[in-house]
Amino acid sequence: MKVWNLNFRTRRRTMPTALEASPGERLRTLRDLLGLTGADLHRLTKISQSWISQVETGAREPSEDRLRVIAEATDTPMSFFYARPSSVPLDSLRFRKMATASRTVTRRISAFYGEGFRVTEEITSRAHYPAPPLPFASEAELADDDIEELAAQSRVALRLAPDKPIPHLTRALERAGIAVAPIVLPDPTGDSVSPTNKHFGVSYWAGIGETALIAYFPGPQGDRDRFTLAHELGHLVLHTFRPHAADPEGEANRFAGAFLVPYERAREEMTDRLTLEGFARRKQAWGVSIQALILRGAAVGNIGESRKRSLYVQLTQRGWRKEEPVSVGQEDPLLLWSLLQRQYGNRPYLPASDELAIQPTVLRSIAPQPVTKRPAAEASTPRPSGKVLSFGHRSTQPTADLRSGAQ
C-alpha cells in the first residue's frame, strides 16, 4: 500500500475558472434547497408551472422580472440565479445514510451540500485558511491493518495525541482546515424542520491543497455525530483517490472506530470480559457509543462473534439499542461562522447572502451562530455523574485560536 502523509499547509490562491451559470439550473437548485415542488412555487409566485418547467429544462430563457418575483417570494438574492455552480462533482459525494434513504431527500441534501461547498471555498480562500494536510491512500485494495495505520496517521495530521480520547473532534477538524457544517433542511409547509430521513453525513475533498467540507445532520446524541464526523473523515482519507473501492462504507466505519479508539487502547480496554456497564464507562471515557465500542472490540480481535451477539441481545433487552445510557455532549462547529463574522461583521447573514449568492436559510444552516460560551471549567471537564459527558462545548472563541495549538 502506498500512503502519503503530506504537511501541505498552503492553498491555491486562485479560484477555479468560473463556469457559466444557467438561471434555469439555478432555479431547480433553489427548489431542491427549499423543498418546493413546481406547484408550491406556483402558489407562492402565481407563475405557471409550465414556465417553471420550461426554464429549468432550458426550453426557454427566463425573464429577469419573473426571476425577481421568485427571488422576493423565497427571500433569495437575485445574485443566486447567476452564481457559478459548485465545483463539487455530485457523483463524487460520499454519504453516510441508510439503504432505504429517500432519493428525494438525497437530492435536496446534494443541493444543500453543493451550495455549502461553494461558499466554503469562497470564504476560506479569502481568509487564506490552510488546506487540510491529510494522508491518503491510492492503492486499489486496503487491508484492515492499512486502515488502522491511516487512522493513526490522521491523528498525527490533526495534531492529536496518538492514544487518548479526542475531547473536541469538530474543533480538531476545523483547526486542520476541514470545514464542518450542520445541515438542517427547511420544511416548506411551516417553521419546523424536515427530518433528514435516514441520512447522517456527507463529505468531499478534491485532494492536496483543496477545500474539504464535512456536513452532518445533528442528532439527539453527540456520540452519533462524532462517529459520523470520523466516518466522513475516513472517506476523505480512504476514497479521495480510490473512488471505486469495493466497500467504501465498511472501510469508513472501520476507519472511524480506529480513529476514535486507537488500536492499542482498544486491545487493552474493549475485552470480552466487559459487561454492558463496563462498556458504558468506556463510552464516558471515549465519547463513542456502546454499540460502536463493541464493534471496535470485535475489530481488534478481542470479542468473538458469539460474545458480540450476546452483548447485542442484552442491549435489545434493556432498550439500549435505541437509547443508550451516558449522554455525550454535542459539538458545535465554529470555523465558517467565525470567517463570516470576520468578513461581514457581527450580523453577517444578510450582507453575506447577497455577496455570496446564497439563500439566507441555507447560510444559517451551514454556518450557525454559536450559542453562549459555557464557563471554562464546565466546558473542559467531564461531568462526574457519568450520565452526561460533554466532550465538545459550545464556544465563541475567535478564529485565530482555531489555527494554533494541538488538541
Side-chain angles (χ1 to χ4, degrees), residues 21-34 67 70-71 74-85 111 114-115 118-119 353-360 362:
S22 163
E25 292 177 4
R26 297 295 288 164
L27 176 57
R28 178 55 196 262
T29 297
L30 179 63
R31 285 204 300 109
D32 287 337
L33 288 172
L34 301 181
L67 288 179
I70 293 171
T74 59
D75 192 28
T76 300
M78 278 292 289
S79 55
F80 176 90
F81 296 109
Y82 302 100
R84 67 175 178 83
E115 290 300 292
R118 179 175 65 81
V119 168
S353 66
D354 186 58
E355 185 172 332
L356 297 173
I358 186 169
Q359 210 278 344
V362 180

Side-chain angles (χ1 to χ4, degrees), residues 21 37 75 121 129 141 153 196 200 202 284 302 310 327 351:
T37 64
D75 192 28
E121 277 188 307
Y129 207 78
E141 300 295 330
Q153 289 187 23
T196 58
F200 302 103
V202 57
Q284 183 181 17
N302 280 354
S310 173
S327 294

